[in-house]
Amino acid sequence: MKHHRFRENVTHLTALATLSAYFFVVPPANAASSEWAQSQGGAVRIVADRPQPDGTIPAILDIRLKPGWKTYWLEPGASGIPPQVTVDPQDGISFSGMRFPAPAAFDDGIVSYTGYDRSVAFPLSLKREETGTSEQTGDLTLKASVFIGICKDICIPVQADLSLPLPAGLAENPLDKARIDDAVSALPEEPSDTFKVTAATFDPAGKRMRISLLLPWTNQTAPPELFLAGPPGYSFGKPDSMTTENGQVTADIPVRVPAQGGALKSGSVLLVARINGRSMETPLAFD
């Protein structure tokens, strides 16, 4: 009789365990992440989704910073390291660049630089390469070389080779997919009727740029923050004058021109403007 009751108890416990496992199965979310590459001030990894019907692969460079550490924007300043990603094209994935949330300006009394003082994610522009067939399917592996700077009292370059399998039936952590969506939603908005550049000129002889902006209405009196990134060798100082007239702000900005420089081409300079919690990004078309 005791043995019979023991078998009943074992059977009952097995059934409960099976039922518990059923209810705690994580549903597929179609996103996965590489291993973290660790450094003294933080860590970096890539999070990616499987290819979409048009071949694009949603993905981010995910940077986790320890308290007090910083990393850099596209144009980091004189002493910074701009983030770099290289993707191996032999794996059937093309890479056309990164996008960045609006940065912040920092000045430690010795040097000034532009970047982020908290964990941040940069969306990556990835796409499955064409194979000549009407349907792009099958397993992929994303292999990327990453180079970033993570800084506190000193700046530590972080070099990492990251690999991420993207099988056709990918089903992974739903939190990773949410991180991709959050990173995209944090990007600056596109120009609109209420937030845009209305004029931009560049004087190569005077080494100055003038930008006029229409800003969204705000009751704060602080001027907008402007961040500029241009071709290699060019750098941009803080506006040395900023005036408001007819609802528009005009900023005069000194430009450092390389020895072999000259006139900047339209579209070669990226502007990010931020005011009252909103940010806008646009390439500058010079008059």
Side-chain angles (χ1 to χ4, degrees):
M1 181 63 68
K2 291 183 180 180
H3 290 294
H4 179 67
R5 289 178 180 172
F6 176 77
R7 285 195 298 269
E8 286 181 345
N9 289 338
V10 170
T11 302
H12 180 65
L13 290 173
T14 302
L16 287 176
T18 303
L19 187 62
S20 298
Y22 176 81
F23 280 109
F24 284 93
V25 169
V26 177
N30 303 328
S33 61
S34 70
E35 295 292 329
W36 287 102
Q38 302 287 340
S39 77
Q40 182 179 344
V44 60
R45 65 174 180 170
I46 288 178
V47 180
D49 196 347
R50 63 181 177 183
Q52 303 302 293
D54 64 354
T56 58
I57 303 173
I60 56 172
L61 182 67
D62 195 13
I63 302 173
R64 182 174 62 191
L65 297 174
K66 294 180 181 178
W69 291 78
K70 300 177 180 68
T71 193
Y72 295 105
W73 185 56
L74 173 65
E75 177 55 63
S79 63
I81 300 173
Q84 302 171 46
V85 172
T86 303
V87 172
D88 189 344
Q90 295 183 354
D91 294 315
I93 299 174
S94 61
F95 171 63
S96 56
M98 277 184 291
R99 295 195 65 193
F100 303 83
F106 300 95
D107 191 332
D108 61 9
I110 300 175
V111 294
S112 57
Y113 46 94
T114 305
Y116 311 89
D117 62 354
R118 62 189 65 186
S119 297
V120 65
F122 304 146
L124 304 175
S125 297
L126 299 170
K127 191 169 186 177
R128 178 195 284 272
E129 293 184 341
E130 296 288 339
T131 61
T133 61
S134 59
E135 186 177 2
Q136 306 295 312
T137 59
D139 297 345
L140 289 172
T141 298
L142 173 59
K143 296 178 182 178
S145 178
V146 175
F147 184 69
I148 63 172
I150 296 180
C151 303
K152 192 178 183 182
D153 299 324
I154 59 172
C155 192
I156 301 176
V158 179
Q159 171 73 54
D161 293 320
L162 303 176
S163 180
L164 175 58
L166 297 173
L170 178 63
E172 288 291 340
N173 191 336
L175 295 178
D176 287 341
K177 190 173 188 304
R179 288 185 179 95
I180 298 174
D181 295 338
D182 289 345
V184 172
S185 65
L187 294 174
E189 61 191 75
E190 295 182 354
S192 65
D193 290 341
T194 59
F195 198 0
K196 64 181 179 180
V197 173
T198 56
T201 59
F202 172 61
D203 176 11
K207 299 179 181 179
R208 298 181 67 78
M209 180 183 298
R210 173 168 287 184
I211 302 172
S212 295
L213 295 129
L214 180 64
L215 300 175
W217 182 88
T218 174
N219 57 5
Q220 73 177 45
T221 58
E225 296 177 272
L226 304 180
F227 305 95
L228 293 149
Y234 288 86
S235 60
F236 307 90
K238 295 180 180 179
D240 50 22
S241 70
M242 193 174 288
T243 59
T244 302
E245 185 177 357
N246 297 326
Q248 296 192 66
V249 170
T250 298
D252 290 317
I253 301 167
V255 181
R256 181 183 179 277
V257 178
Q260 301 300 319
L264 288 166
K265 297 180 180 179
S266 287
S268 65
V269 177
L270 182 72
L271 167 73
V272 173
R274 179 167 58 195
I275 189 168
N276 199 29
R278 289 178 63 182
S279 60
M280 180 271 296
E281 177 184 288
T282 184
L284 294 180
F286 296 114
D287 299 337

